[in-house]
Amino acid sequence: MQLIFLGTSSGTPTRRRNVSGLALSLRGGRDWILVDCGEGTQHRLLRTPLSTQRLQAICISHVHGDHCYGLPGLLASAQLNGRTAPLSLIGPASLWDYLQGVIASTALHLDFPLHFLDVDRVPAGLEIGGFGISAWPLSHRVPSFAFRFVEASVPLRLLSGRLERDGIPRGPLWGALQRGESVQLPDGLCVDGADYTRPAWRARSVVVGGDNDCPDLLGEACSDADLLVHEATYDEEIRVRIGPEPMHSSAARVAAFAERRGLPHLVLTHFSPRYQKGGGRGLPLARLEQEARERYSGDLWLAEDYDCFELDRNGRLQHSNLLR
Amino acid sequence: MQLIFLGTSSGTPTRRRNVSGLALSLRGGRDWILVDCGEGTQHRLLRTPLSTQRLQAICISHVHGDHCYGLPGLLASAQLNGRTAPLSLIGPASLWDYLQGVIASTALHLDFPLHFLDVDRVPAGLEIGGFGISAWPLSHRVPSFAFRFVEASVPLRLLSGRLERDGIPRGPLWGALQRGESVQLPDGLCVDGADYTRPAWRARSVVVGGDNDCPDLLGEACSDADLLVHEATYDEEIRVRIGPEPMHSSAARVAAFAERRGLPHLVLTHFSPRYQKGGGRGLPLARLEQEARERYSGDLWLAEDYDCFELDRNGRLQHSNLLR
């Protein structure tokens, strides 16, 4: 399972960070899912292996510009590049209003079907691009949601010791049992694949939050999750100084939540442009990292643009950056 | 007079070229005007000395995404960066519909006033940021316009030989005449500044076209102009092969027009992404340059992103690139 960060700034882009965008895919596949689509997301894609032709769904957490102003241009470019395959779009109802308005007023013609799904009514068992997808309401100035992505299909591994112990002959019968089927043995006995298999690994799951001032709302979504990606717009001191109105989280608040839930991996993103790596003319981003580390004992990352995280079948997270 | 190209690709961005955006300013001033605002224009600005706080007007040639999808994000960032000064917006009526729709559906709050001017009804004598601005209808799939920018105010130079010949005494009288005033001489005679001054240089003018398949429509707009910036989406062979439907110009067609009008400087832009400098996996951009040079004997340029052109008081054009 692979995550590529296309933008990690909140509100406005900086020279180093674009506004929000995150690509999810299953390693080995070229299909992918986009979470949020700030202005310039399609520009970021030009420096990744991802193609808009293989994009399966776009999930928009909420309809603020830094999370959705790149959507019309990305769709227009997919059209100009010859896309014909349907595309799923999941987001708040106002997202559809926004997009329909833009399409009508700017003569944007799309030959491929857009399937819009209101994020408030995502059907149970929704599966796209190899992911089971569910949505979870958050707390922000406008309706905002997190998305939980679970690996939809994990192959079964045969329990060969048990098969041999029970004298089930090797060959086509083992194959049928591995596919989870029920089979009849030569002696007439019926056996069930479920008794002789188990998933080759635990299905991986990732939760990607939208803007949110209350991480605790994600308690259930994060149950058993491998990784949480969450905004940490400020450090706690700045959050208190600004006051609650913007309805964002501090790094401290998210880290404390992740610690309480025992989450193995936490990736913070969506940093106020006032923070800069190394400080520069702004505040040092290290302020966020420090207060998060003080509260969270798991595997912590502060995302940068083009960061690539691979969550392997054993739940280990590997980091690289596409530009380095 | 300075022009900075923020985007020179048509339709979709490439790694080297963004979609349309062009900044105009008068050398020495920090005020500027933006012509077209494709997605990612605000990102390009981050690598220029231009500030959205000093932006005086945005002129949008037509409401296709590659010319206007960067507008909401640029306004949102100006707001987040504390802009309070009014901003003029000139474009087709549908631009206002587009922007109002986006503002309403994405909770975009702007504290600074936006003054919208329908490009079809630009008042005579409109002056913004030191430029006289007029608009000229073109031929495209949607209403599209060119903008002519004329240096609004050129200081007057005293004709000292004539003053001395007529015995007008040096001193405060000369100053008043240089300001263009009428003054009474000690002997009671009234003289007029217009008779003893002339402009220190000829007012410079630039015409910036939107998408357009008929350069001849710009005959009057280009009268006496120093420089034309015009789209050259294809070379003539590709234009013929694609057919007239997209309603774009070839380099050949624009060059031939500029030659007929005797324009001293021509800058081509808005190239189809199929062209690449040096060729690469696409067609060589040199095809456009070659067919333009065959038809135009003036000073020809094919714009690149971050290209900066300075038109001096003698009408000479100097080229540099902000990234080199």
Side-chain angles (χ1 to χ4, degrees), chain A residues 15 18 39-40 42-43 69 106, chain B residues 18 39-40 42-43 69 106:
Chain A
R15 280 194 175 200
N18 195 24
E39 181 184 356
Q42 64 163 325
H43 300 66
Y69 281 172
T106 66
Chain B
N18 195 24
E39 180 184 356
Q42 65 163 322
H43 300 68
Y69 282 172
T106 66

Side-chain angles (χ1 to χ4, degrees), chain A residues 11-15 18 39-43 46-47 63-64 68-70 72-73 77 80 94 98 102 105-108 142, chain B residues 11-15 18 39-43 46-47 63-64 68-70 72-73 77 80 94 98 102 105-108 142:
Chain A
T12 64
T14 71
R15 280 194 175 200
N18 195 24
E39 181 184 356
T41 295
Q42 64 163 325
H43 300 66
L46 296 173
R47 295 184 186 275
V63 188
H64 274 157
C68 69
Y69 281 172
S77 291
L80 283 167
S94 54
Y98 158 67
V102 173
S105 57
T106 66
L108 174 57
V142 295
Chain B
T12 63
T14 70
R15 279 192 174 202
N18 195 24
E39 180 184 356
T41 295
Q42 65 163 322
H43 300 68
L46 295 172
R47 294 183 187 277
V63 188
H64 274 158
C68 69
Y69 282 172
S77 290
L80 283 167
S94 54
Y98 157 68
V102 173
S105 57
T106 66
L108 173 57
V142 295

Side-chain angles (χ1 to χ4, degrees), chain A residues 2-22:
Chain A
Q2 190 183 61
L3 292 84
I4 298 176
F5 282 82
L6 303 167
T8 58
S9 180
S10 81
T12 64
T14 71
R15 280 194 175 200
R16 295 175 61 105
R17 298 180 185 274
N18 195 24
V19 286
S20 291
L22 173 64

Side-chain angles (χ1 to χ4, degrees), chain B residues 26 33 49-50 103 152 154 189 309:
Chain B
L26 289 168
I33 289 175
L50 303 164
I103 286 174
V154 175
L189 187 69
F309 293 94

Side-chain angles (χ1 to χ4, degrees), chain A residues 26 50 117 119-120 123 153 155-157 173 186 206 235 237 247 273 294:
Chain A
L26 289 167
L50 303 164
L117 259 173
V119 71
D120 250 342
S153 147
L156 297 173
R157 189 167 67 80
L173 284 177
V206 170
D235 63 83
E237 183 188 326
M247 300 184 74
E294 284 168 7

Side-chain angles (χ1 to χ4, degrees), chain B residues 10 139-140 210-216 218 228-260 266-272 274-275 285-296 300-302:
Chain B
S10 80
S139 164
H140 193 51
D211 289 7
N212 176 36
D213 67 359
C214 186
D216 279 317
L218 286 171
L228 170 63
V229 176
H230 199 284
E231 65 125 317
T233 308
Y234 315 117
D235 63 83
E236 187 62 21
E237 182 189 326
I238 296 290
R239 192 192 68 77
V240 169
R241 190 188 306 164
I242 290 175
E245 204 187 340
M247 299 184 74
H248 285 299
S249 285
S250 65
R253 195 176 273 205
V254 181
F257 165 77
E259 183 69 16
R260 281 196 301 278
L266 173 62
V267 182
L268 302 178
T269 182
H270 194 269
F271 309 119
S272 160
R274 61 167 59 75
Y275 298 101
L285 193 67
R287 288 170 64 125
L288 277 69
E289 181 168 359
Q290 191 185 336
E291 71 171 35
R293 288 211 186 281
E294 285 168 8
R295 290 160 179 87
Y296 177 63
L300 174 75
W301 294 87
L302 274 69

